[in-house]
């Protein structure tokens, strides 16, 4: 029997070899393809929709969503030129860009307010007399305390809302290091920050779809949110009333859960918040990526429809 097998191997070893190589190539190729699709999915799921002409001419509240704030350096310029990493390209502004954007808003009379104030205005029924902006930062990587907070403090101790992935603080994620709890505490003490939740550990995709988009993950989601509340209470000292959906979306059942518990949630749709807004539904936010500033924020601030 053994002799027969070894005879077979001797005779067909090249066929075995080719089959194994082919299978290996197919498996690696499939994994690479999945990674590529995942990357595209993330890209597609962040900035959706545009402001209507009517919105561009309306007062209201525009919620801006930032990610990383980089220092301008030769190293960064080289990294940007060489890298294909979409996170670095589209999710980053430099300190200088952030400063310019905030000064632009101030110069044109836009008031930068806290989320608490924005929610109060949204609950009113009378029309707003000004344009307002609320600043939010997702994921809270180390560049927020290191590079963004100094800018916000310098420009008048501006209010901002930072959404933490509460189970991943201090870890490396997509090539960036998330802020640690001691850094977050320092932010709480030294700047005008309010913290919100960006899940405990569900900021991930499953077969190219955000975990929170699966109805079957509902129980996991409620446990995950409870863990976030505990972590925030333990490290920061309060529970948050704000939640940002990773990739901007969740299920109706999750949204009902938040509405029942008085938690305000955020999507990533481009729209302005106006008085009488339905606060039991996710509030829109504009992600400041490559061209959102030019296509959304600038036209609204200036009240001019882009060509
Ligand atoms: Zn995020």
């Amino acid at each position: 029997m053994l002799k027969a097998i070894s005879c077979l191997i001797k005779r067909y070893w090249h066929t075995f070899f080719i089959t194994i190589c082919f299978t290996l190539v197919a498996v690696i190729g499939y994994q690479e393809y999945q990674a590529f699709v995942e990357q595209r999915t993330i890209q597609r799921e962040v900035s959706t929709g545009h402001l209507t002409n009517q919105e561009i001419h309306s007062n209201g509240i525009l919620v801006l969503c930032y990610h990383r704030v980089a220092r301008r350096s030769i190293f960064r310029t080289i990294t940007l030129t060489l890298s294909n990493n979409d996170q670095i390209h589209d999710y980053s502004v430099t300190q200088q860009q952030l400063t310019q954007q905030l000064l632009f808003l101030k110069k044109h009379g836009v008031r930068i307010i806290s989320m608490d104030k924005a929610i109060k205005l949204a609950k009113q029924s009378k029309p707003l007399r000004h344009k307002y902006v609320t600043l939010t930062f997702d994921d809270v990587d180390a560049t927020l305390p290191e590079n963004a907070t100094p800018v916000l403090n310098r420009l008048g101790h501006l209010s901002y809302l930072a959404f933490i992935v509460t189970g991943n603080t201090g870890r490396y994620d997509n090539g960036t290091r998330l802020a640690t709890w001691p850094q977050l505490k320092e932010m709480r003490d030294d700047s005008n920050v309010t913290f919100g939740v960006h899940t405990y550990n569900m900021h991930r995709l499953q077969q190219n779809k955000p975990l929170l988009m699966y109805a079957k993950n509902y129980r996991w989601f409620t446990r995950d949110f409870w863990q976030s509340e505990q972590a925030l209470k333990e490290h920061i000292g309060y529970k948050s009333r704000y939640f940002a959906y990773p990739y901007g979306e969740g299920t109706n059942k999750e949204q009902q859960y938040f509405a029942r518990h008085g938690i305000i949630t955020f999507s990533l749709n481009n729209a302005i918040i106006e008085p009488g807004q339905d606060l039991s539904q996710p509030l829109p936010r504009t992600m400041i990526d490559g061209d959102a500033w030019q296509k959304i924020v600038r036209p609204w601030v200036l009240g001019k429809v882009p060509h």
Side-chain angles (χ1 to χ4, degrees), residues 67 138-139 198 203 246-247:
H67 281 80
D138 278 15
D139 306 346
H198 204 30
H203 192 320
Y247 315 105

Side-chain angles (χ1 to χ4, degrees), residues 15-273:
T15 316
F16 285 127
F17 183 72
I18 289 169
T19 312
I20 288 167
C21 284
F22 184 76
T23 313
L24 267 178
V25 168
V27 167
I28 293 169
Y30 178 72
Q31 280 174 347
E32 285 295 311
Y33 173 73
Q34 285 293 327
F36 169 76
V37 171
E38 229 162 71
Q39 188 70 32
R40 300 322 312 166
T41 309
I42 297 170
Q43 277 303 97
R44 216 179 52 237
E45 280 182 331
V46 287
S47 278
T48 50
H50 55 85
L51 298 189
T52 61
N53 285 0
Q54 198 197 338
E55 278 180 305
I56 283 175
H57 294 108
S58 300
N59 287 336
I61 306 153
L62 190 65
V63 183
L64 306 186
C65 167
Y66 288 93
H67 281 80
R68 310 185 65 211
V69 177
R71 266 172 227 247
R72 205 164 67 145
S73 66
I74 295 174
F75 173 72
R76 185 185 139 81
T77 314
I78 295 168
T79 321
L80 277 179
T81 315
L82 297 180
S83 166
N84 280 324
N85 185 340
D86 290 330
Q87 290 260 356
I88 297 178
H89 281 285
D90 287 340
Y91 296 0
S92 290
V93 292
T94 60
Q95 276 184 315
Q96 199 188 24
Q97 283 168 324
L98 180 66
T99 308
Q100 280 167 356
Q101 291 176 353
L102 297 174
L103 288 175
F104 174 83
L105 295 174
K106 285 182 163 224
K107 186 180 151 197
H108 290 90
V110 175
R111 299 172 182 211
I112 301 169
I113 55 169
S114 69
M115 191 57 78
D116 287 357
K117 175 96 192 285
I119 298 300
K120 267 191 204 144
L121 291 176
K123 281 180 179 168
Q124 289 182 4
S125 51
K126 56 177 194 243
L128 299 179
R129 293 172 52 197
H130 305 280
K131 289 186 173 177
Y132 298 90
V133 153
T134 299
L135 307 171
T136 69
F137 292 82
D138 278 15
D139 306 346
V140 192
D141 82 350
T143 66
L144 181 53
E146 286 163 10
N147 303 336
T149 304
V151 171
L152 299 169
N153 282 347
R154 206 165 44 237
L155 294 179
H157 222 60
L158 298 175
S159 298
Y160 63 104
L161 175 57
F163 290 106
I164 313 171
V165 185
T166 52
N168 285 352
T169 53
R171 290 199 197 153
Y172 278 88
D173 179 48
N174 276 316
T176 69
R177 187 174 61 76
L178 300 175
T180 59
W181 283 116
Q183 280 182 311
L184 295 164
K185 270 185 208 157
E186 230 177 281
M187 283 164 64
R188 178 199 62 190
D189 298 337
D190 299 342
S191 68
N192 212 346
V193 67
T194 302
F195 288 113
V197 171
H198 204 30
T199 75
Y200 183 81
N201 190 20
M202 291 184 82
H203 192 320
R204 283 178 284 139
L205 301 170
Q206 196 171 44
Q207 287 162 346
N208 304 325
K209 211 166 123 179
L211 285 179
L212 292 192
M213 291 288 287
Y214 289 93
K216 66 176 168 109
N217 289 340
Y218 180 74
R219 279 175 69 97
W220 179 10
F221 150 78
T222 55
R223 199 172 59 239
D224 180 276
F225 187 68
W226 181 84
Q227 283 175 297
S228 278
E229 287 195 308
Q230 298 306 310
L232 264 190
K233 222 162 100 184
E234 183 191 332
H235 294 284
I236 302 296
Y238 61 82
K239 281 188 185 178
S240 179
R241 57 189 291 225
Y242 301 113
F243 179 90
Y245 285 106
Y247 315 105
E249 282 178 281
T251 64
N252 285 341
K253 205 170 168 191
E254 287 158 3
Q255 186 52 38
Q256 283 159 13
Y257 174 92
F258 285 128
R260 269 202 312 279
H261 291 82
I263 309 286
I264 309 267
T265 66
F266 296 87
S267 69
L268 282 170
N269 296 326
N270 288 316
I272 56 169
I273 298 173

